Amino acid sequence: MTNPEAMAGRDVIDVLTADHREVEALFVELESRQGTPEHRRQLVDVVIAELVRHSVAEEAYVYPAARKALPDGDQVADHEISEHADAERTMKDLESVDPSDPRFDQLLTHLTSTIRHHVQEEETDLFPRLRAACAHEELVELADKVTAAKRIAPTRPHPAAPDHPPANKLLAPGAGLVDRLRDAISGRPTSMAELRDKQRH
């Protein structure tokens, strides 16, 4: 989601917060209900890809760091992973619903509400506590790991895949590669840059 050149020296909280702002901007655009059904479908595809990459990277690196650094880290991480699982089930349903179907907006409303709640919890509780508990260097190193993980992470929801390392979605053999192949063959955009490029051609 984030430009690697602009990330030098940024810590993992900066990277994840930037992801949150990008997804929120997509939600606001979707809530305006502007554009063709095809455009709204493509926006949702981008939202799903961004959220899946973000959550997979958090589950691989951020939540294990929380488990280690915070006294109630296991409880916090388990709660966050449970919220990811709820969002992922909604994304899986949303993936197959046509934008003209009334269920599309119902599912989108549920997803938006779930993600906004999750973001608010992370930004007001988990992120400040991680910043306080971890050395800055560790958080910068986590930013590099999260950024690298997002490059190879799946772009489609896989609600049946494990959420916990070492068997989590990031390490599931080839899930990200298979998703990227499916995206390329179908022409599905997985970022705003891809969507803008598609609109120009």
Side-chain angles (χ1 to χ4, degrees), residues 22-52:
E22 289 181 36
V23 167
E24 177 60 25
L26 290 167
F27 282 157
V28 169
E29 185 173 348
L30 280 160
E31 285 171 334
S32 76
R33 298 181 191 238
Q34 301 298 306
T36 64
E38 181 189 13
H39 179 68
R40 296 189 80 226
R41 168 80 267 160
Q42 291 173 334
L43 282 176
V44 165
D45 288 341
V46 171
V47 164
I48 289 171
E50 298 284 22
L51 288 172
V52 169

Side-chain angles (χ1 to χ4, degrees), residues 88-162:
E88 198 163 6
R89 285 187 295 273
T90 304
M91 287 186 280
K92 189 70 181 168
D93 291 341
L94 190 54
E95 229 182 8
S96 60
V97 176
D98 189 89
S100 61
D101 186 320
R103 286 188 63 234
F104 184 86
D105 284 316
Q106 292 166 1
L107 288 164
L108 182 58
T109 298
H110 179 71
L111 179 65
T112 303
S113 169
T114 301
I115 296 300
R116 284 176 171 154
H117 167 79
H118 180 73
V119 163
Q120 199 260 339
E121 277 188 348
E122 284 192 335
E123 292 187 5
T124 60
D125 182 50
L126 175 60
F127 290 177
R129 292 177 68 205
L130 270 180
R131 269 223 172 105
C134 298
H136 178 69
E137 299 73 30
E138 183 183 351
L139 294 175
V140 170
E141 187 180 314
L142 277 174
D144 293 340
K145 289 179 178 178
V146 161
T147 302
K150 288 194 298 179
R151 281 195 286 272
I152 62 166
T155 57
R156 295 171 184 253
H158 297 274

Side-chain angles (χ1 to χ4, degrees), residues 3-4 9-10 12 47 50-51 56 58 67 76 79 90 112 116 135-136 139 182:
N3 179 355
R10 291 179 10 155
V12 72
V47 164
E50 298 284 22
L51 288 172
V56 166
E58 280 187 326
R67 288 181 194 283
V76 169
H79 174 74
T90 304
T112 303
R116 284 176 171 154
H136 178 69
L139 294 175
R182 286 174 63 202

Side-chain angles (χ1 to χ4, degrees), residues 187-199:
R188 175 182 182 255
T190 62
S191 70
M192 279 311 290
E194 283 178 28
L195 182 53
R196 282 190 292 270
D197 193 45
K198 197 176 173 70
Q199 290 168 339

